[in-house]
């Protein structure tokens, strides 16, 4: 049960309306939009890398709850496939493609959905990777004039 599930359950108990930013298959469609050649490469690298992905999951989770997600993402970028003989520019290209399709494009698609939602206060619960960066949801919303209020953990 992630943080977004907990927020949804709280809203349901309080009878606060909830909605979705996208259809349930949108994340899979974003993955499928990546060129097949890149999907195969990522799968190959994931299967042949001896890197302990559990360590990365723990690192990312700890970074998120320490409110240092951007640092966790930098560590992930630096360590991804570091044990394989893959040129770093190729790793960067694959990660950038993943970021654009699965994160940034979806962030941009969510803006009109958020703007159509009424109410004086709006809580948007998304995965932590959607928050930081130039095309992160926080910067995109602020650029549209939204007033964002940070909630403590």
């Amino acid at each position: 049960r992630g943080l977004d599930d907990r927020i949804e359950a709280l809203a349901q108990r309080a009878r606060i309306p909830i909605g979705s930013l996208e259809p349930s298959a949108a994340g899979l469609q974003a993955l499928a939009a990546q060129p097949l050649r890149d999907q195969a490469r990522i799968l190959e690298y994931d299967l042949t890398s001896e890197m302990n992905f559990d360590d990365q999951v723990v690192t990312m989770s700890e970074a998120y709850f320490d409110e240092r997600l951007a640092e966790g993402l930098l560590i992930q970028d630096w360590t991804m496939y570091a044990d394989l003989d893959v040129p770093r520019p190729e790793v960067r290209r694959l990660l950038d493609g993943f970021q654009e399709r699965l994160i940034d494009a979806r962030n941009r698609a969510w803006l009109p959905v958020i703007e159509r939602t009424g109410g004086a206060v709006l809580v948007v619960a998304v995965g932590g990777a959607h928050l930081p960066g130039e095309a992160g949801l926080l910067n995109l919303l602020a650029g549209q004039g939204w007033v964002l209020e940070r909630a403590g953990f």
Side-chain angles (χ1 to χ4, degrees), residues 15-55:
R15 300 190 196 291
I16 297 170
I18 58 173
S20 179
L21 293 171
E22 63 188 6
S24 59
L28 289 175
Q29 290 170 339
L31 282 172
Q34 193 158 17
L36 191 56
R37 166 181 75 94
D38 289 350
Q39 291 180 47
R41 273 220 176 99
I42 290 171
L43 182 59
E44 174 190 351
Y45 296 157
D46 283 350
L47 291 173
T48 58
S49 177
E50 293 183 17
M51 188 178 93
N52 187 338
F53 286 101
D54 291 342
D55 289 345

Side-chain angles (χ1 to χ4, degrees), residues 65-86:
F65 285 106
D66 285 345
E67 300 182 45
R68 298 165 66 135
L69 180 61
E71 291 175 26
L73 290 170
L74 287 172
I75 291 169
Q76 180 185 29
D77 286 357
W78 180 62
T79 60
M80 186 67 84
Y81 310 133
D83 63 323
L84 300 177
D85 187 24
V86 180

Side-chain angles (χ1 to χ4, degrees), residues 4 21 64 69 103 106-107 110 124-132 137:
D4 51 347
L21 293 171
Y64 177 79
L69 180 61
I103 306 295
R106 291 170 65 214
N107 286 351
W110 292 344
V124 178
V126 299
H130 291 279
L131 300 177
L137 197 53

